Amino acid sequence: MIGQVAVRRFPALTVSTPRTEVRRLTVADAAAVDEVFADRQTQRWLPLAEAAGQIDGRAWCTELARQRRDSGDGDHWAVVRREDQRVVGCLWTRRTDWGARLTEVSYAIAPHARGYGLAAEAVDGVAIALILEHGFHRVELRVAPGNVASRRVAEKAGFSYEGLLRNAGYVRGARVDLELWSFVAADLR
C-alpha cells in the first residue's frame, strides 16, 4: 500500500485488580460518567476551554470513545469498583505513538470514591497490561502543577517523575506547565 498508512486500533483491554475492574465503557455507563465529569474538582483540572461546558456522558461512552479507537489514538474505559460493581471513574488513553509504542493515560474519579487508592490501582493495572500484554514501551501521565491528588496517583501507581513541560497544556482554557511522569518496563522489576 504505497502512500497509505494503516491505522492501528488500540487493543481491547479489560484489567482486573484486587478492588477494580477497568473495562470498555457502554451507553449504560453514561449517567455515572456524567456524575464523574460534573464534579467541580474534576472540572478544575480538565483541559477544556472555559466555554466548552460539561462533557456529555453518553457521547463520552459511545461516539467519542469510538472515534478515539478508530483513529488509533487511544480508548475510554470505566473504572468499576468490584465490591458493588459501581462505575466510580473513567480512565482514557490518548496521544498514542505506535512507532514508539507509547501512550498517555488520564483519569477522573467520582467524589465519593476518592481517597481510597482506586485511581492509582486502576492506572497501575492498565500501565502494566499495556506493557506486558500489548507491547507498549512507555506509558505517560501528565499532571498540572497544583493538582496534588493526581500527583499522588502517579506516585502510588509507580510512575517516575521526569520533569516539567513548560507551557505544554491547558486547564479551563488557560495555558499551564505540565509535570511529565512515566512508567516503563524497567519499573516492573
Side-chain angles (χ1 to χ4, degrees), residues 54-68:
Q54 175 71 23
I55 290 175
D56 176 62
R58 184 177 180 86
W60 184 263
C61 294
T62 57
E63 301 98 53
L64 296 173
R66 188 172 30 259
Q67 287 171 6
R68 187 157 288 169

Side-chain angles (χ1 to χ4, degrees), residues 26-186:
T26 68
V27 71
D29 300 323
V33 171
D34 280 337
E35 178 187 358
V36 168
F37 287 123
D39 174 61
R40 293 181 112 166
Q41 185 67 18
T42 299
Q43 287 183 5
R44 178 178 177 197
W45 299 110
L46 288 176
L48 300 174
E50 196 66 46
Q54 175 71 23
I55 290 175
D56 176 62
R58 184 177 180 86
W60 184 263
C61 294
T62 57
E63 301 98 53
L64 296 173
R66 188 172 30 259
Q67 287 171 6
R68 187 157 288 169
R69 275 192 302 276
D70 290 349
S71 72
D73 191 43
D75 206 345
H76 294 178
W77 297 284
V79 177
V80 179
R81 187 172 43 211
R82 293 173 70 101
E83 75 181 49
D84 59 6
Q85 295 302 302
R86 185 173 179 186
V87 173
V88 296
C90 298
L91 194 147
W92 61 98
T93 50
R94 63 185 178 160
R95 296 184 185 158
T96 301
D97 180 334
W98 290 104
R101 301 293 294 181
L102 72 86
T103 194
E104 178 186 335
V105 66
S106 300
Y107 45 85
I109 299 294
H112 62 81
R114 289 188 193 131
Y116 300 101
L118 298 174
E121 190 172 314
V123 168
D124 180 55
V126 166
I128 290 170
L130 288 171
I131 289 171
L132 291 181
E133 298 172 22
H134 299 287
F136 279 77
H137 297 297
R138 177 180 173 88
V139 179
E140 294 181 348
L141 198 151
R142 295 172 189 214
V143 177
N147 189 344
V148 176
S150 275
R151 183 179 308 122
R152 295 212 16 122
V153 168
E155 292 168 345
K156 289 169 75 176
F159 282 65
S160 297
Y161 177 73
E162 292 188 345
L164 191 67
L165 301 172
R166 294 177 46 217
N167 202 32
Y170 53 96
V171 173
R172 302 307 287 169
R175 297 298 305 183
V176 296
D177 297 338
L178 293 174
E179 297 175 3
L180 179 63
W181 296 75
S182 69
F183 191 93
V184 298

